[in-house]
Amino acid sequence: MMYINGQTLSHDRHFADHIVAEVPVQIYRNKEHSDIGFIEYYGKEYVKVNNNVYCRKSFTFISRPGY
């Protein structure tokens, strides 16, 4: 699936697609940048990026193809 720069990830398939296609994500908490990198793992509640675990309910994950 093709993602546009800035698209918010919310469904499991979004996270899975980004792992398979090796598309980076940018992570925000309350509109403040927290991290950018590649998804290493995702589950129902958490996403692991750059060896850090982020709660899916507390953070926003944005697609950054081409970064």
Side-chain angles (χ1 to χ4, degrees):
M1 177 171 236
M2 179 63 78
Y3 292 87
I4 59 172
N5 191 26
Q7 183 174 345
T8 301
L9 310 181
S10 56
H11 301 290
D12 286 347
R13 84 169 194 285
H14 296 163
F15 295 102
D17 288 346
H18 279 69
I19 290 173
V20 171
E22 297 181 341
V23 174
V25 296
Q26 194 163 7
I27 303 165
Y28 289 89
R29 183 170 188 168
N30 300 327
K31 297 184 181 182
E32 186 174 319
H33 177 263
S34 295
D35 203 352
I36 191 166
F38 296 95
I39 298 172
E40 300 165 30
Y41 168 83
Y42 75 94
K44 292 289 180 193
E45 297 184 25
Y46 298 97
V47 176
K48 185 175 180 183
V49 175
N50 294 330
N51 214 28
N52 296 306
V53 179
Y54 297 95
C55 178
R56 286 173 64 168
K57 291 181 181 179
S58 300
F59 291 87
T60 303
F61 302 88
I62 305 294
S63 182
R64 292 294 184 218
Y67 181 80

Coordinates of all heavy atoms in Angstrom, one line a residue:
M1 N 0.8 -1.2 0.0 CA 0.0 0.0 0.0 C 0.9 1.2 0.0 O 1.9 1.3 0.7 CB -0.9 0.0 1.2 CG -1.8 1.2 1.4 SD -3.0 1.0 2.6 CE -4.4 1.4 1.7
M2 N 0.5 2.3 -0.7 CA 1.2 3.5 -0.8 C 0.7 4.5 0.3 O -0.5 4.6 0.5 CB 1.0 4.1 -2.2 CG 1.8 5.4 -2.4 SD 3.5 5.3 -2.2 CE 3.9 4.7 -3.8
Y3 N 1.6 5.1 1.0 CA 1.3 6.1 2.0 C 1.9 7.4 1.6 O 2.9 7.5 1.0 CB 1.9 5.6 3.4 CG 1.3 4.4 3.9 CD1 1.7 3.2 3.6 CD2 0.2 4.5 4.7 CE1 1.1 2.0 4.1 CE2 -0.5 3.4 5.2 CZ 0.0 2.2 4.9 OH -0.7 1.0 5.4
I4 N 1.2 8.5 2.0 CA 1.6 9.8 1.6 C 2.4 10.4 2.8 O 2.1 10.0 4.0 CB 0.5 10.7 1.2 CG1 -0.6 10.9 2.3 CG2 -0.1 10.2 -0.1 CD1 -1.6 11.9 2.0
N5 N 3.3 11.3 2.6 CA 4.1 11.9 3.6 C 3.1 12.7 4.5 O 2.3 13.5 4.1 CB 5.1 12.9 3.0 CG 6.1 13.4 4.0 OD1 6.3 12.7 5.0 ND2 6.6 14.5 3.7
G6 N 3.2 12.4 5.8 CA 2.3 13.0 6.8 C 1.0 12.3 7.1 O 0.3 12.7 8.0
Q7 N 0.8 11.1 6.5 CA -0.4 10.3 6.8 C -0.2 9.7 8.2 O 0.8 9.2 8.6 CB -0.5 9.2 5.8 CG -1.8 8.4 6.0 CD -2.0 7.4 4.8 OE1 -1.4 7.5 3.8 NE2 -2.8 6.4 5.1
T8 N -1.3 9.8 9.0 CA -1.3 9.2 10.4 C -1.5 7.7 10.3 O -2.4 7.2 9.6 CB -2.4 9.9 11.2 OG1 -2.2 11.3 11.3 CG2 -2.5 9.3 12.6
L9 N -0.8 7.0 11.1 CA -0.9 5.5 11.1 C -1.8 5.2 12.4 O -1.6 5.7 13.4 CB 0.4 4.8 11.3 CG 1.5 5.3 10.3 CD1 2.8 4.5 10.6 CD2 1.1 5.1 8.9
S10 N -2.8 4.3 12.2 CA -3.7 4.0 13.3 C -4.0 2.5 13.3 O -4.3 2.0 14.4 CB -4.9 4.9 13.2 OG -5.6 4.7 12.0
H11 N -4.0 1.9 12.2 CA -4.4 0.4 12.2 C -3.2 -0.5 12.1 O -2.1 -0.1 11.6 CB -5.3 0.2 10.9 CG -6.5 1.0 10.9 ND1 -7.6 0.8 11.7 CD2 -6.9 2.1 10.1 CE1 -8.5 1.7 11.5 NE2 -8.1 2.5 10.5
D12 N -3.4 -1.7 12.6 CA -2.3 -2.7 12.6 C -1.7 -2.8 11.2 O -0.4 -2.9 11.1 CB -2.7 -4.0 13.1 CG -3.0 -4.1 14.6 OD1 -2.6 -3.2 15.3 OD2 -3.6 -5.1 15.0
R13 N -2.5 -2.8 10.2 CA -1.9 -3.0 8.8 C -1.0 -1.9 8.4 O -0.1 -2.0 7.7 CB -3.0 -3.3 7.8 CG -3.7 -2.1 7.3 CD -4.6 -2.4 6.1 NE -5.0 -1.2 5.4 CZ -5.9 -0.3 5.8 NH1 -6.5 -0.5 6.9 NH2 -6.1 0.7 5.1
H14 N -1.3 -0.6 8.9 CA -0.4 0.5 8.6 C 1.0 0.3 9.2 O 2.0 0.5 8.5 CB -0.9 1.8 9.3 CG -2.3 2.3 8.8 ND1 -3.0 3.2 9.4 CD2 -3.0 2.0 7.6 CE1 -4.1 3.4 8.8 NE2 -4.1 2.7 7.7
F15 N 1.0 -0.2 10.4 CA 2.3 -0.5 11.1 C 3.0 -1.6 10.4 O 4.2 -1.6 10.1 CB 2.2 -0.8 12.6 CG 1.7 0.4 13.3 CD1 0.3 0.5 13.7 CD2 2.5 1.5 13.7 CE1 -0.1 1.6 14.4 CE2 2.1 2.6 14.3 CZ 0.7 2.7 14.7
A16 N 2.3 -2.7 10.0 CA 2.9 -3.8 9.3 C 3.4 -3.4 8.0 O 4.5 -3.8 7.6 CB 1.8 -4.9 9.2
D17 N 2.7 -2.6 7.2 CA 3.1 -2.1 5.9 C 4.4 -1.4 6.0 O 5.3 -1.5 5.2 CB 2.1 -1.2 5.3 CG 0.9 -2.0 4.8 OD1 0.9 -3.2 4.7 OD2 -0.1 -1.3 4.5
H18 N 4.6 -0.6 7.1 CA 5.8 0.2 7.2 C 7.0 -0.6 7.6 O 8.1 -0.3 7.2 CB 5.5 1.3 8.3 CG 4.8 2.5 7.7 ND1 3.5 2.5 7.3 CD2 5.2 3.8 7.4 CE1 3.2 3.6 6.8 NE2 4.2 4.5 6.9
I19 N 6.8 -1.7 8.3 CA 7.9 -2.6 8.6 C 8.3 -3.3 7.3 O 9.5 -3.3 7.0 CB 7.4 -3.7 9.6 CG1 7.3 -3.1 11.0 CG2 8.5 -4.8 9.7 CD1 6.7 -4.0 12.1
V20 N 7.4 -3.9 6.5 CA 7.7 -4.6 5.3 C 8.4 -3.7 4.3 O 9.4 -4.1 3.7 CB 6.4 -5.2 4.7 CG1 6.7 -5.8 3.4 CG2 5.9 -6.3 5.7
A21 N 7.8 -2.5 4.1 CA 8.4 -1.6 3.1 C 9.5 -0.7 3.6 O 10.1 0.0 2.8 CB 7.3 -0.7 2.6
E22 N 9.9 -0.9 4.9 CA 10.9 -0.1 5.5 C 10.8 1.4 5.3 O 11.7 2.1 4.9 CB 12.3 -0.6 5.0 CG 12.6 -2.0 5.3 CD 14.0 -2.5 4.9 OE1 14.6 -1.9 3.9 OE2 14.4 -3.5 5.4
V23 N 9.6 1.9 5.6 CA 9.2 3.3 5.5 C 9.3 3.9 6.9 O 8.8 3.3 7.9 CB 7.8 3.5 5.0 CG1 7.4 4.9 5.1 CG2 7.7 2.9 3.6
P24 N 10.1 5.0 7.1 CA 10.2 5.5 8.4 C 8.9 6.2 8.9 O 8.1 6.6 8.1 CB 11.3 6.6 8.3 CG 11.3 6.9 6.8 CD 10.8 5.7 6.1
V25 N 8.8 6.3 10.2 CA 7.7 7.0 10.9 C 8.3 8.1 11.8 O 9.4 8.0 12.3 CB 6.8 6.1 11.7 CG1 6.2 5.1 10.8 CG2 7.6 5.4 12.8
Q26 N 7.5 9.2 11.9 CA 7.8 10.2 12.9 C 6.8 10.1 14.0 O 5.6 9.9 13.8 CB 7.8 11.6 12.2 CG 8.4 12.7 13.0 CD 8.7 13.9 12.1 OE1 8.3 14.0 11.0 NE2 9.4 14.9 12.7
I27 N 7.3 10.3 15.2 CA 6.5 10.1 16.4 C 6.3 11.5 17.1 O 7.3 12.2 17.4 CB 7.1 9.1 17.3 CG1 7.3 7.8 16.5 CG2 6.2 8.8 18.5 CD1 8.2 6.8 17.2
Y28 N 5.0 11.7 17.5 CA 4.7 13.0 18.2 C 3.9 12.6 19.5 O 3.2 11.7 19.5 CB 3.8 13.9 17.3 CG 4.5 14.5 16.2 CD1 4.6 13.9 15.0 CD2 5.1 15.7 16.3 CE1 5.2 14.5 13.9 CE2 5.7 16.4 15.3 CZ 5.8 15.7 14.1 OH 6.4 16.3 13.0
R29 N 4.1 13.5 20.5 CA 3.3 13.4 21.7 C 2.8 14.9 21.9 O 3.6 15.8 22.1 CB 4.0 12.9 22.9 CG 3.1 12.8 24.1 CD 3.8 12.1 25.2 NE 2.8 11.9 26.3 CZ 3.0 11.1 27.3 NH1 4.1 10.4 27.4 NH2 2.1 10.9 28.2
N30 N 1.5 15.0 21.9 CA 0.9 16.4 22.1 C 1.5 17.4 21.1 O 1.9 18.5 21.5 CB 1.1 16.9 23.5 CG 0.4 15.9 24.5 OD1 -0.6 15.4 24.2 ND2 1.0 15.8 25.7
K31 N 1.6 17.0 19.9 CA 2.1 17.9 18.8 C 3.6 18.2 18.9 O 4.1 19.0 18.2 CB 1.3 19.1 18.6 CG -0.2 18.9 18.3 CD -0.9 20.2 18.1 CE -2.4 19.9 17.7 NZ -3.1 21.1 17.5
E32 N 4.3 17.6 19.8 CA 5.7 17.8 20.0 C 6.5 16.6 19.5 O 6.2 15.4 19.8 CB 6.1 18.0 21.5 CG 7.5 18.3 21.7 CD 7.8 18.7 23.2 OE1 6.9 19.4 23.8 OE2 8.8 18.2 23.7
H33 N 7.5 16.8 18.6 CA 8.3 15.7 18.0 C 9.0 14.9 19.1 O 9.6 15.5 20.0 CB 9.3 16.3 17.0 CG 10.2 15.3 16.4 ND1 11.4 15.1 16.9 CD2 10.0 14.4 15.4 CE1 12.0 14.1 16.2 NE2 11.1 13.7 15.3
S34 N 8.9 13.6 19.0 CA 9.6 12.7 20.0 C 10.7 11.9 19.3 O 11.7 11.7 20.0 CB 8.6 11.8 20.6 OG 7.6 12.5 21.4
D35 N 10.5 11.4 18.1 CA 11.4 10.5 17.5 C 11.1 10.4 16.0 O 10.0 10.7 15.6 CB 11.4 9.2 18.2 CG 12.6 8.3 18.1 OD1 13.5 8.7 17.3 OD2 12.7 7.3 18.8
I36 N 12.1 9.8 15.3 CA 11.8 9.4 13.9 C 12.7 8.2 13.6 O 13.8 8.1 14.1 CB 12.1 10.5 12.9 CG1 11.6 10.1 11.5 CG2 13.6 10.9 12.9 CD1 11.5 11.3 10.5
G37 N 12.2 7.2 12.9 CA 12.9 6.0 12.6 C 12.0 4.9 12.0 O 10.9 5.2 11.6
F38 N 12.6 3.7 12.1 CA 11.9 2.6 11.5 C 11.2 1.7 12.6 O 11.8 1.5 13.6 CB 12.8 1.7 10.7 CG 13.4 2.5 9.5 CD1 14.6 3.1 9.6 CD2 12.7 2.5 8.3 CE1 15.2 3.8 8.5 CE2 13.2 3.2 7.2 CZ 14.5 3.8 7.3
I39 N 10.0 1.2 12.3 CA 9.3 0.4 13.3 C 10.0 -1.0 13.3 O 10.3 -1.6 12.3 CB 7.9 0.2 12.8 CG1 7.1 1.5 12.8 CG2 7.1 -0.8 13.8 CD1 5.7 1.5 12.2
E40 N 10.4 -1.3 14.6 CA 11.0 -2.6 14.8 C 10.0 -3.7 15.2 O 10.2 -4.9 14.9 CB 12.0 -2.5 15.9 CG 13.1 -1.5 15.6 CD 13.9 -1.1 16.9 OE1 14.0 -1.9 17.8 OE2 14.4 0.1 16.9
Y41 N 8.9 -3.2 15.9 CA 7.9 -4.1 16.4 C 6.6 -3.3 16.7 O 6.8 -2.1 17.0 CB 8.4 -4.8 17.7 CG 7.3 -5.5 18.4 CD1 6.9 -6.8 18.1 CD2 6.6 -4.9 19.5 CE1 5.9 -7.4 18.7 CE2 5.5 -5.5 20.1 CZ 5.2 -6.8 19.8 OH 4.2 -7.4 20.4
Y42 N 5.5 -3.9 16.5 CA 4.3 -3.3 17.0 C 3.3 -4.3 17.6 O 3.4 -5.5 17.2 CB 3.6 -2.5 15.8 CG 2.9 -3.5 14.9 CD1 1.5 -3.8 15.0 CD2 3.5 -4.1 13.8 CE1 0.9 -4.7 14.2 CE2 2.9 -5.0 13.0 CZ 1.6 -5.3 13.2 OH 1.0 -6.1 12.3
G43 N 2.5 -3.9 18.5 CA 1.5 -4.7 19.1 C 0.2 -3.9 19.3 O 0.1 -2.8 18.8
K44 N -0.7 -4.4 19.9 CA -2.0 -3.7 20.1 C -1.9 -2.4 20.9 O -2.6 -1.5 20.7 CB -3.0 -4.6 20.8 CG -3.5 -5.8 20.0 CD -4.4 -5.4 18.9 CE -4.8 -6.5 18.0 NZ -5.4 -6.1 16.8
E45 N -0.9 -2.4 21.8 CA -0.7 -1.2 22.7 C 0.6 -0.4 22.4 O 0.6 0.7 22.8 CB -0.8 -1.7 24.1 CG -2.2 -2.3 24.5 CD -2.3 -2.6 25.9 OE1 -1.6 -2.0 26.8 OE2 -3.1 -3.5 26.2
Y46 N 1.6 -1.0 21.9 CA 2.9 -0.4 21.8 C 3.5 -0.5 20.4 O 3.2 -1.5 19.7 CB 3.8 -1.0 22.8 CG 3.4 -0.8 24.2 CD1 2.7 -1.8 24.9 CD2 3.6 0.4 24.9 CE1 2.2 -1.6 26.2 CE2 3.1 0.6 26.2 CZ 2.4 -0.4 26.8 OH 2.0 -0.1 28.1
V47 N 4.4 0.4 20.1 CA 5.2 0.4 18.9 C 6.7 0.6 19.3 O 6.9 1.6 20.1 CB 4.8 1.5 17.9 CG1 5.7 1.5 16.7 CG2 3.3 1.3 17.5
K48 N 7.6 -0.2 18.8 CA 9.0 0.0 19.1 C 9.7 0.6 17.9 O 9.7 0.1 16.8 CB 9.6 -1.4 19.4 CG 11.0 -1.3 19.9 CD 11.5 -2.7 20.3 CE 13.0 -2.7 20.8 NZ 13.4 -4.0 21.1
V49 N 10.4 1.7 18.2 CA 11.2 2.5 17.2 C 12.5 2.9 17.8 O 12.4 3.4 19.0 CB 10.4 3.7 16.7 CG1 11.3 4.5 15.7 CG2 9.1 3.3 16.0
N50 N 13.6 2.7 17.2 CA 14.9 3.0 17.7 C 15.1 2.5 19.1 O 15.7 3.2 20.0 CB 15.1 4.6 17.7 CG 15.1 5.1 16.3 OD1 15.5 4.5 15.4 ND2 14.6 6.4 16.2
N51 N 14.7 1.3 19.3 CA 14.9 0.6 20.6 C 14.1 1.3 21.8 O 14.4 1.0 22.9 CB 16.4 0.4 21.0 CG 16.6 -0.9 21.7 OD1 15.9 -1.8 21.5 ND2 17.7 -0.8 22.5
N52 N 13.1 2.1 21.4 CA 12.3 2.7 22.4 C 10.8 2.3 22.2 O 10.4 2.1 21.0 CB 12.3 4.3 22.3 CG 13.6 4.8 22.6 OD1 14.2 4.6 23.6 ND2 14.2 5.6 21.6
V53 N 10.1 2.1 23.2 CA 8.7 1.6 23.1 C 7.8 2.8 23.4 O 7.9 3.5 24.4 CB 8.5 0.5 24.1 CG1 7.0 0.0 24.1 CG2 9.4 -0.7 23.9
Y54 N 6.8 3.0 22.4 CA 5.9 4.1 22.5 C 4.4 3.5 22.6 O 4.1 2.6 21.8 CB 6.0 4.9 21.3 CG 7.3 5.6 21.1 CD1 8.3 5.0 20.4 CD2 7.6 6.8 21.8 CE1 9.6 5.6 20.3 CE2 8.9 7.4 21.7 CZ 9.8 6.8 20.9 OH 11.1 7.4 20.8
C55 N 3.7 4.0 23.5 CA 2.3 3.7 23.7 C 1.4 4.2 22.5 O 1.5 5.4 22.3 CB 1.8 4.2 25.0 SG 0.0 3.8 25.3
R56 N 0.7 3.4 21.9 CA -0.1 3.8 20.7 C -1.2 4.8 21.1 O -1.6 5.6 20.3 CB -0.8 2.6 20.0 CG 0.3 1.8 19.2 CD -0.2 0.5 18.6 NE -1.3 0.7 17.7 CZ -1.7 -0.3 16.9 NH1 -1.2 -1.5 16.9 NH2 -2.7 0.0 16.0
K57 N -1.7 4.8 22.4 CA -2.7 5.7 22.8 C -2.1 7.1 23.2 O -2.8 8.1 23.2 CB -3.4 5.1 24.1 CG -4.3 3.9 23.7 CD -5.0 3.4 25.0 CE -5.8 2.2 24.6 NZ -6.5 1.7 25.8
S58 N -0.8 7.1 23.5 CA -0.2 8.4 24.0 C 0.5 9.1 22.9 O 0.8 10.3 23.0 CB 0.8 8.1 25.1 OG 0.1 7.5 26.2
F59 N 0.9 8.4 21.8 CA 1.7 9.0 20.8 C 1.0 8.9 19.4 O 0.2 8.0 19.2 CB 3.1 8.3 20.7 CG 4.0 8.5 21.8 CD1 3.9 7.7 23.0 CD2 4.9 9.6 21.8 CE1 4.7 8.0 24.1 CE2 5.7 9.8 22.9 CZ 5.6 9.0 24.0
T60 N 1.4 9.8 18.5 CA 0.9 9.8 17.2 C 2.0 9.4 16.2 O 3.1 9.9 16.4 CB 0.4 11.3 16.8 OG1 -0.6 11.7 17.7 CG2 -0.2 11.3 15.4
F61 N 1.7 8.5 15.3 CA 2.7 8.0 14.4 C 2.4 8.5 13.0 O 1.3 8.3 12.5 CB 2.7 6.5 14.5 CG 3.0 6.0 15.8 CD1 1.9 5.8 16.7 CD2 4.3 5.7 16.3 CE1 2.2 5.3 18.0 CE2 4.5 5.3 17.5 CZ 3.5 5.1 18.4
I62 N 3.3 9.1 12.3 CA 3.2 9.7 11.0 C 4.1 9.1 10.0 O 5.3 8.9 10.3 CB 3.5 11.3 11.1 CG1 2.7 12.0 12.2 CG2 3.3 11.9 9.8 CD1 1.2 12.0 12.0
S63 N 3.6 8.8 8.9 CA 4.3 8.2 7.8 C 5.3 9.2 7.2 O 4.9 10.3 6.9 CB 3.4 7.6 6.7 OG 4.1 7.0 5.7
R64 N 6.5 8.8 7.0 CA 7.5 9.7 6.3 C 8.3 9.0 5.2 O 9.5 8.9 5.3 CB 8.5 10.2 7.4 CG 8.0 11.1 8.4 CD 7.5 12.4 7.8 NE 7.1 13.3 8.9 CZ 6.0 14.1 8.7 NH1 5.4 14.1 7.5 NH2 5.7 14.9 9.6
P65 N 7.6 8.6 4.2 CA 8.2 8.0 3.0 C 9.2 8.9 2.4 O 9.0 10.1 2.3 CB 7.1 7.6 2.1 CG 6.0 8.5 2.4 CD 6.1 8.8 3.9
G66 N 10.4 8.4 2.0 CA 11.4 9.3 1.4 C 12.3 10.0 2.3 O 13.1 10.8 1.9
Y67 N 12.0 9.9 3.6 CA 12.9 10.6 4.6 C 14.2 10.0 4.7 O 14.4 8.8 4.6 CB 12.2 10.6 6.0 CG 13.0 11.3 7.0 CD1 12.9 12.7 7.1 CD2 13.8 10.7 7.9 CE1 13.6 13.4 8.1 CE2 14.6 11.4 8.9 CZ 14.5 12.7 8.9 OH 15.2 13.4 9.8

